[in-house]
Amino acid sequence: IAGTVAATASKPDARRLGLEGLRRLAAAAASPLVGIGGLSAADWPALRAAGAVGFAAIGTFLPAAGESIADAMARATRIDTAVVD
């Protein structure tokens, strides 16, 4: 697991790795890499292009104001299949 990739409310002072840092780690890693930190399903195409095999998230699955848990889960797991082969 590699991160923090992007800004995250749960760890505001964390040093950010960014996509380029994730790319460098994925290229050097002997094991598959999963990105974590400030990520959502919308980030998946860029994470995959950087060499990640997956991502972990917390905040992206929490409901926004006025949103049900079911709505939050549907939003959080929506991936644009046009950009994912």
Side-chain angles (χ1 to χ4, degrees):
I1 295 176
T4 299
V5 176
T8 177
S10 64
K11 295 185 178 52
D13 298 330
R15 184 174 176 193
R16 291 185 209 142
L17 182 62
L19 287 172
E20 186 53 38
L22 183 69
R23 186 181 328 277
R24 287 193 309 269
L25 285 174
S31 298
L33 212 69
V34 173
I36 191 169
L39 304 172
S40 72
D43 297 307
W44 174 236
L47 293 164
R48 185 173 173 194
V53 298
F55 71 96
I58 297 170
T60 196
F61 294 99
L62 299 176
E67 189 177 42
S68 71
I69 292 172
D71 290 341
M73 292 302 292
R75 172 192 39 78
T77 57
R78 192 173 305 122
I79 296 175
D80 184 353
T81 57
V83 295
V84 179
D85 54 51

